[in-house]
C-alpha cells in the first residue's frame, strides 16, 4: 500500500544557487515537525548534502546528542553514457523513490547544477519543484532570457521548457499537477536597485511562466557557518541555544514562510 507522500525536488541548472543548503534546511525542519523524511543526493559528484548529513551524524555522536536524521541515499549515474544505461539509471531512481514512498512522508531530492539524465529523472518524480535563484539578474537567465531594455521575456530557458514538458506529461498521465516554486535566495541587504529589479522581473515571470514566487531568503552567515557540524536553523531554535540572534530569528521566519508556501499539511510547525 502506498501512503500519502510528497516528493520535493530542489532544482536549478546552475551551481551555487543554494539547492543543497535549502534541501538540508527543509529536511530537518520537516523532521522536527514530525514527518518521516528521506533525502536523495543526485549530485554525488559534489556531495554537499551527503557531507552535510555526515557532518551532522559526527557532530551528534561527538556531543552525545540525539538529532533527527533523514534516511539518506546517494544515487549516482552509471559510468557509461549511452541510452541503455541512462534508461537503467532512470529505472533505478524510480525504484528507489517508490520504495521510499512506502515508508516516508516527504522525500527531498537535491540535484546537480547542470542537466543530467538522472537529474531530469528526479524532476519527473517531483510533486513540488523548488528552484532557488541567487539574487542577481544573471541567475534569472536560468528561467528566461530577458530583454535588457523592456525587461520582457525574449525566450524561455531550456530548463523552463523542460519543466513545462514534465508538467504536460503528468497531466496526460492523470497525475497531480507539478507545483513549481521559485525562491529568491541570498538577498543582499544593501544593493537596493538590483533587489528591486530582480523582484520586479520575478513577479512578471511568475504570471507569464506560471510558478509561485517567494521573495525569499536573505544572505546570512548563519546558512554558511553550520555546515561543519551539520546543523540547521531549526536545530538552533530547538536546542534553545543562548546565542540566538536577530539574524537567526529572521532566518527561521524566512524558512517557515517557505514551508507555508510549500503547504504540505503541517503537523506541529509552531516553533
Ligand atoms: N541564504 C544564504 N546566505 C548565505 N550563504 C548562502 C545562502 N544560501 C547558500 N549559501 C552559500 O552559497 C554557497 C552555495 O550553496 P549550495 O547550497 O552549495 O548551492 P548549490 O547546491 O545550488 O550548488 C555555499 O557556500 C552556501 O553556504
Ligand atoms: Mg549542491
Amino acid at each position: 500500500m502506498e501512503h500519502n507522500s510528497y516528493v520535493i525536488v530542489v532544482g536549478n541548472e546552475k551551481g551555487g544557487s543554494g539547492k543543497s543548503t535549502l534541501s538540508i534546511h527543509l529536511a530537518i525542519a520537516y523532521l522536527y515537525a514530525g514527518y518521516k523524511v528521506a533525502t536523495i543526493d543526485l549530485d554525488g559528484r559534489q556531495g554537499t548534502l551527503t557531507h552535510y548529513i555526515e557532518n551532522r551524524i559526527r557532530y551528534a555522536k561527538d556531543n552525545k546528542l540525539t538529532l533527527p536524521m533523514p534516511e539518506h541515499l546517494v544515487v549516482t549515474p552509471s559510468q557509461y553514457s549511452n541510452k541503455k544505461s541512462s534508461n537503467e539509471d532512470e529505472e533505478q531512481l524510480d525504484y528507489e523513490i517508490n520504495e521510499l514512498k512506502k515508508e516516508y512522508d516527504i522525500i527531498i531530492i537535491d540535484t546537480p547544477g547542470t542537466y543530467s539524465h538522472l537529474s531530469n529523472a528526479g524532476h519527473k518524480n517531483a510533486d513540488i519543484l523548488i528552484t532557488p535563484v541567487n539574487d542577481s539578474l544573471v541567475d534569472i537567465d536560468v528561467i528566461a532570457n530577458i530583454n535588457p531594455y523592456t525587461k520582457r521575456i525574449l525566450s524561455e530557458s531550456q530548463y523552463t521548457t523542460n519543466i513545462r514538458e514534465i508538467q504536460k506529461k503528468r497531466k496526460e498521465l492523470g497525475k497531480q499537477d507539478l507545483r513549481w516554486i521559485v525562491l529568491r535566495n541570498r538577498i543582499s541587504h544593501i544593493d537596493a536597485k538590483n533587489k528591486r529589479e530582480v523582484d520586479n522581473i520575478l513577479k512578471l515571470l511568475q504570471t507569464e511562466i506560471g510558478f509561485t514566487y517567494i521573495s525569499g531568503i536573505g544572505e546570512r552567515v548563519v546558512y554558511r557557518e553550520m555546515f561543519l557540524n551539520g546543523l540547521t536553523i531549526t536545530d538552533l531554535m530547538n536546542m534553545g541555544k543562548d546565542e540566538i540572534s536577530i539574524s537567526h530569528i529572521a532566518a527561521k521566519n524566512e524558512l517557515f514562510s517557505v514551508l507555508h508556501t510549500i503547504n504540505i499539511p503541517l503537523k506541529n510547525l509552531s516553533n
Side-chain angles (χ1 to χ4, degrees):
M1 189 194 73
E2 196 171 293
H3 85 292
N4 207 5
S5 49
Y6 300 83
V7 177
I8 302 177
V9 169
V10 184
N12 177 342
E13 281 174 17
K14 200 160 175 65
S17 59
K19 294 180 290 297
S20 303
T21 307
L22 181 66
S23 298
I24 189 77
H25 274 79
L26 290 177
I28 305 304
Y30 282 126
L31 281 168
Y32 276 107
Y35 289 96
K36 291 185 81 181
V37 181
T39 45
I40 301 179
D41 192 348
L42 292 186
D43 192 8
R45 209 181 158 86
Q46 199 134 76
T48 311
L49 178 61
T50 304
H51 297 154
Y52 215 117
I53 292 170
E54 286 168 358
N55 292 346
R56 182 176 180 83
I57 293 168
R58 196 185 46 234
Y59 179 82
K61 188 164 172 271
D62 290 351
N63 292 279
K64 298 187 173 45
L65 290 172
T66 310
L67 292 174
M69 299 285 175
E71 171 73 20
H72 184 65
L73 280 186
V74 185
V75 181
T76 44
S78 71
Q79 59 197 113
Y80 308 105
S81 57
N82 57 44
K83 194 151 177 41
K84 184 166 171 278
S85 60
S86 294
N87 287 341
E88 281 170 8
D89 284 348
E90 187 165 341
E91 278 167 22
Q92 176 67 22
L93 180 63
D94 289 351
Y95 172 80
E96 301 286 5
I97 292 172
N98 284 327
E99 284 299 299
L100 290 172
K101 276 184 179 174
K102 292 178 188 162
E103 204 175 327
Y104 293 89
D105 307 316
I106 299 177
I107 301 158
I108 297 177
I109 305 180
D110 186 23
T111 61
T114 47
Y115 178 87
S116 75
H117 204 80
L118 203 51
S119 174
N120 194 46
H123 281 71
K124 285 187 194 163
N125 276 284
D127 298 304
I128 298 161
L129 167 65
I130 308 187
T131 301
V133 286
N134 274 329
D135 192 30
S136 152
L137 294 170
V138 179
D139 285 61
I140 292 179
D141 207 46
V142 82
I143 299 173
N145 189 229
I146 306 291
N147 181 315
Y149 307 106
T150 62
K151 306 284 187 310
R152 310 297 298 191
I153 300 177
L154 287 174
S155 59
E156 281 182 6
S157 70
Q158 196 63 47
Y159 188 68
T160 296
T161 307
N162 198 24
I163 303 304
R164 277 199 196 289
E165 270 310 299
I166 293 173
Q167 283 170 323
K168 212 171 95 193
K169 285 228 171 75
R170 281 179 76 101
K171 209 164 234 153
E172 284 166 11
L173 292 171
K175 286 189 180 175
Q176 209 190 355
D177 283 351
L178 159 63
R179 283 176 55 218
W180 190 10
I181 296 170
V182 173
L183 169 73
R184 192 158 60 128
N185 189 27
R186 307 190 68 169
I187 301 173
S188 133
H189 300 291
I190 38 178
D191 190 356
K193 182 163 178 282
N194 170 70
K195 223 159 123 170
R196 263 199 317 276
E197 218 156 37
V198 171
D199 189 54
N200 285 339
I201 293 177
L202 283 173
K203 277 184 185 144
L204 186 96
L205 293 180
Q206 159 170 250
T207 37
E208 293 202 7
I209 291 185
F211 51 74
T212 303
Y213 160 51
I214 316 181
S215 79
I217 292 186
E219 168 74 33
R220 298 184 192 284
V221 176
V222 58
Y223 288 112
R224 282 183 257 139
E225 67 189 3
M226 292 184 291
F227 173 73
L228 289 180
N229 48 24
L231 295 178
T232 67
I233 191 72
T234 326
D235 294 298
L236 295 194
M237 300 321 267
N238 277 276
M239 286 168 164
K241 291 232 180 217
D242 295 340
E243 65 267 30
I244 300 281
S245 67
I246 291 177
S247 178
H248 290 130
I249 293 169
K252 183 211 87 174
N253 289 341
E254 287 166 352
L255 180 65
F256 274 49
S257 100
V258 176
L259 296 176
H260 279 282
T261 305
I262 296 174
N263 195 24
I264 287 173
L266 301 177
K267 290 195 173 172
N268 53 347
L269 279 179
S270 54
N271 47 8

